């Protein structure tokens, strides 16, 4: 960046070699639309963060860390009637600050290290999806910081980040009503458009529309929904949401196992 | 110490290094650019160290802080002084086209000794980089990239950094953890290459050090270089056999 004196300067502009490569753009192969890629999840791997989780699904690798609760910035806010269960009044509830960032080497084209508008939008989507699950009333005047880092984008990045963030919050011991599980979908164009569950990056690039669903599996409530594109009729979108919710339910046992293992590891390390 | 090269498939070269708890990942992306006007037969290597809030609670979101800038500059100095790769090797067509290697180092877990981990991650990632073959078409004067044929970079030197924490001018600890760094009165980093030549010495203020102590540090750095180099060779060999 020309004006950025905080980073080492490179050339003014550069182009990726893919622009000059012989065009080998093959459309993605057909596959079972309800297949979920095998997921590897591990919680409690960073030593400096209060809670952390790493999720790998196919080519998508995302790492999430939670820190806090710490004193919220911003002035005192007024009181009000206390909520049920010993929670703070609504104006004094804790806050969740979510930060989503992509590593510069995570996609086919290098991204500049400073954030773009898309990352801010995804950070906000993360916050909106995680808030219903976290008991923020138990952390008055405090803020919890969740940072998600996408190391490699292999498709359904936001869904993976949501799941990793929920695991990290659980690992940090933050009080939650339920885990949040995310699932991505994309609409394959063509004569008979079908919604594909857990798309790869190639399928996402060739898609006509995309959707990310966040579900709280035990409560069976949708925590977040973000979609865009030309999806056709409303029925098409409802089918997609239903498919996404099924995918989330199927993913839940893996995450339970991951948290149990992390708890066992922590118990083994802690002095008795 | 653990190294895992080639973990990120979207990057042209990558490596994850774990030094105790400190974890650094380096990803290298190669792009085309016009060579600099004052050196038309050279390419660019642009390092960038990122210390995100996820690695430690002392860092905030936003533009790189002081520590990140100092570490970026240190890595740039090591690249320049040790001549790991010759910038002339990155030139495709003098005056017209050259490679730019964007080396992005992200710290995932900060527990002290970030300089050693970053240098090692950069070295491992550079050894892992595969660049496609590029030819300039004479008629159209455009580059043609053949992604099927890839070749490794010519890494000429292997610089290895060794950091010490100084306590009260007398006690020296190698490879300090975060807690030790916090309590120390000064730090020292020595970068050596395989011929026992000194590439870089980084001592940002802090308490003084006698000449003899400095010599001890240098000899320790030489022996550490051998250990680290052996580990890196083993890992690269095992990767190639896959």
């Amino acid at each position: 960046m020309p004006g950025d004196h905080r980073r080492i300067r490179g050339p003014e502009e550069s182009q990726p070699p893919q622009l000059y490569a012989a065009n080998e753009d093959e459309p993605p192969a057909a596959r079972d639309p309800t297949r979920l890629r095998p997921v590897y999840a591990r919680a409690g791997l960073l030593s400096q963060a209060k809670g952390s989780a790493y999720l790998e699904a196919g080519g998508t690798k995302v790492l999430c860390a939670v820190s806090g609760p710490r004193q919220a910035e911003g002035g005192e806010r007024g009181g009000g009637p206390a909520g049920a269960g010993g929670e703070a009044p609504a104006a004094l509830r804790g806050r969740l600050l979510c930060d989503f960032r992509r590593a510069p080497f995570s996609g086919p084209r290098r991204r500049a290290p400073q954030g773009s508008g898309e990352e801010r939008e995804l950070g906000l989507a993360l916050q909106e999806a995680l808030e219903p699950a976290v008991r923020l009333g138990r952390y008055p005047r405090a803020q919890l910081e969740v940072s998600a880092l996408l190391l490699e984008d292999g498709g359904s990045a936001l869904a993976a980040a949501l799941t990793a963030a929920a695991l990290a919050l659980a690992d940090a011991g933050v009080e939650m009503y339920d885990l949040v599980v995310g699932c991505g979908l994309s609409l394959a164009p063509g004569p008979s458009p079908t919604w594909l569950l857990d798309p790869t990056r190639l399928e996402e690039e060739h898609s006509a529309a995309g959707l990310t669903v966040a579900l709280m599996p035990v409560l069976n409530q949708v925590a977040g929904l973000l979609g865009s594109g030309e999806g056709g009729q409303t029925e098409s979108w409802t089918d997609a949401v239903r498919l996404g919710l099924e995918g989330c339910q199927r993913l839940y046992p893996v995450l339970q196992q991951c948290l149990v293992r992390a708890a066992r590891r922590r118990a083994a390390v802690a002095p008795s | 110490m653990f190294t895992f090269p080639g973990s990120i498939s979207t990057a042209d070269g990558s490596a994850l290094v774990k030094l105790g708890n400190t974890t650094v990942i380096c990803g290298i992306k190669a792009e085309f650019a016009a060579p600099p006007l004052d050196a038309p037969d050279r390419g660019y290597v642009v390092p960038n160290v990122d210390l995100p809030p996820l690695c430690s609670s002392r860092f905030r979101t936003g533009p790189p802080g002081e520590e990140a800038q100092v570490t970026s500059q240190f890595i740039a100095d090591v690249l320049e002084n040790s001549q790991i790769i010759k910038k002339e090797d990155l030139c495709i067509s003098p005056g017209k086209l050259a490679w730019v290697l964007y080396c992005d180092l992200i710290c995932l877990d900060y527990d002290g000794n970030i300089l050693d981990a970053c240098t090692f991650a950069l070295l491992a990632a550079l050894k892992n980089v595969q660049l496609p073959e590029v030819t300039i078409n004479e008629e159209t004067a455009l580059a043609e990239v053949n992604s099927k044929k890839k070749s490794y970079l010519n890494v000429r030197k292997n610089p290895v950094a060794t950091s010490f924490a100084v306590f009260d001018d007398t006690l020296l600890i190698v490879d300090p953890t975060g807690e030790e760094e916090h309590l120390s009165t000064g730090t020292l980093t020595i970068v050596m290459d395989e011929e026992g030549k000194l590439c870089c010495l980084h001592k940002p203020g802090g308490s003084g050090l006698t000449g003899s102590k400095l010599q001890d540090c240098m000899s320790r750095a030489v022996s550490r270089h051998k250990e680290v180099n052996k580990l890196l060779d083993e890992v690269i060999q095992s990767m190639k056999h896959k």
Side-chain angles (χ1 to χ4, degrees):
Chain A
M1 281 243 75
D4 194 354
H5 58 90
R6 289 185 221 243
R7 298 183 201 267
I8 309 281
R9 293 193 53 177
E12 290 285 321
E13 46 172 50
S14 55
Q15 296 86 32
Q18 285 90 338
L19 284 177
Y20 300 96
N23 217 351
E24 309 146 355
D25 210 17
E26 302 145 10
R31 48 93 157 178
D32 171 20
T34 59
R35 77 104 182 86
L36 273 177
R37 287 176 296 187
V39 159
Y40 171 75
R42 188 178 153 133
L45 62 163
L46 296 182
S47 64
Q48 299 297 308
K50 186 112 188 287
S52 56
Y54 172 74
L55 194 87
E56 193 175 319
T60 307
K61 299 178 169 92
V62 66
L63 181 65
C64 191
V66 167
S67 67
R70 67 166 73 123
Q71 178 100 20
E73 286 130 37
E76 277 280 325
R77 289 171 291 178
E87 297 193 355
L92 285 177
R93 290 180 75 205
R95 293 195 301 183
L96 200 61
L97 292 172
C98 294
D99 173 45
F100 178 88
R101 57 169 75 192
R102 292 178 196 265
F105 42 82
S106 58
R109 236 228 108 148
R110 180 191 188 247
R111 288 164 169 266
Q114 22 298 53
S116 60
E118 192 215 358
E119 291 181 357
R120 273 191 278 281
E121 182 196 1
L122 294 179
L124 205 60
L126 267 179
Q127 189 191 323
E128 283 172 358
L130 291 169
E131 264 184 6
V134 178
R135 290 189 77 187
L136 288 170
R138 300 284 277 162
Y139 300 97
R141 295 196 209 92
Q143 67 188 27
L144 290 157
E145 282 150 18
V146 177
S147 14
L149 174 65
L150 186 67
L151 293 169
E152 190 182 337
D153 188 357
S156 351
L158 179 60
L162 269 167
T163 319
L167 280 175
L169 280 166
D171 185 53
V174 170
E175 290 193 36
M176 296 169 80
Y177 292 111
D178 196 357
L179 268 186
V180 177
V181 186
C183 216
L185 296 120
S186 75
L187 182 66
S192 58
T194 39
W195 280 96
L196 299 169
L197 190 60
D198 199 15
T200 61
R201 186 162 44 84
L202 198 61
E203 287 168 353
E204 271 183 357
E205 274 168 19
H206 290 255
S207 68
L211 180 69
T212 307
V213 181
L215 176 75
M216 292 195 283
V218 175
L219 299 174
N220 208 11
Q221 291 179 348
V222 174
L225 198 70
L226 185 67
S228 64
E230 295 172 8
Q233 306 291 335
T234 330
E235 291 82 33
S236 166
W237 286 99
T238 47
D239 284 340
V241 171
R242 202 170 301 127
L243 190 58
L245 298 184
E246 270 172 37
C248 294
Q249 289 285 5
R250 278 157 63 190
L251 209 48
Y252 185 54
V254 176
L255 308 173
Q256 276 180 308
Q257 275 301 306
C258 160
L259 285 173
V260 166
R261 254 185 262 129
R264 284 215 187 103
R265 236 181 281 129
R266 197 175 290 128
V269 163
S272 48
Chain B
M1 185 201 271
F2 298 101
T3 330
F4 305 98
S7 11
I8 310 282
S9 55
T10 47
D12 296 302
S14 61
L16 174 76
V17 168
K18 222 169 134 63
L19 203 64
N21 276 333
T22 303
T23 314
V24 173
I25 187 162
C26 176
I28 301 191
K29 294 284 283 176
E31 296 201 339
F32 290 145
L37 290 170
D38 54 348
D41 59 344
R42 289 206 193 154
Y44 295 87
V45 182
V46 183
N48 181 42
V49 176
D50 195 14
L51 299 172
L54 83 87
C55 67
S56 165
S57 46
R58 63 166 109 165
F59 301 116
R60 299 256 170 249
T61 50
E66 198 184 305
E67 184 147 11
Q69 289 178 56
V70 166
T71 318
S72 291
Q73 191 54 50
F74 173 80
I75 299 288
D77 288 339
V78 167
L79 279 168
E80 189 62 45
N81 297 335
S82 62
Q83 298 276 303
I84 300 184
I85 46 177
K86 263 184 104 168
K87 294 211 174 124
E88 282 79 1
D89 290 341
L90 295 174
C91 180
I92 304 167
S93 161
K96 297 217 189 69
L97 203 63
W99 283 112
V100 185
L101 291 178
Y102 289 106
C103 312
D104 295 294
L105 292 125
I106 306 187
C107 177
L108 302 176
D109 199 354
Y110 189 101
D111 194 20
N113 207 0
I114 188 81
L115 297 174
D116 280 12
C118 282
T119 325
F120 195 47
L122 182 66
L123 181 63
L126 281 171
K127 287 199 163 181
N128 185 249
V129 168
Q130 286 187 306
L131 294 177
E133 197 203 1
V134 186
T135 45
I136 306 278
N137 190 325
E138 274 127 27
E139 296 147 359
T140 59
L142 281 178
E144 274 168 18
V145 172
N146 185 356
S147 336
K148 305 281 195 298
K149 266 171 108 177
K150 292 205 171 174
S151 56
Y152 284 98
L153 272 183
N154 181 14
V155 177
R156 293 156 74 241
K157 298 279 170 71
N158 299 341
V160 169
T162 316
S163 291
F164 302 84
V166 186
F167 291 84
D168 294 332
D169 303 0
T170 45
L171 197 58
L172 286 163
I173 300 187
V174 184
D175 193 10
T177 62
E179 204 184 329
E180 290 161 1
E181 265 187 7
H182 187 62
L183 296 167
S184 69
T185 49
T187 55
L188 167 68
T189 306
I190 299 184
V191 184
M192 287 280 197
D193 73 9
E194 61 267 17
E195 290 155 24
K197 289 209 194 120
L198 188 66
C199 298
C200 186
L201 195 129
H202 182 75
K203 190 180 185 326
S207 53
L209 217 53
T210 58
S212 57
K213 281 266 174 340
L214 203 56
Q215 279 300 112
D216 288 340
C217 290
M218 302 249 199
S219 32
R220 185 71 188 88
V222 171
S223 52
R224 183 147 168 81
H225 186 287
K226 292 202 190 73
E227 293 161 12
V228 168
N229 228 10
K230 216 174 91 174
L231 172 69
L232 187 56
D233 284 336
E234 274 170 27
V235 174
I236 302 269
Q237 280 299 88
S238 69
M239 284 296 298
K240 289 225 172 100
H241 285 157
K242 268 195 197 156

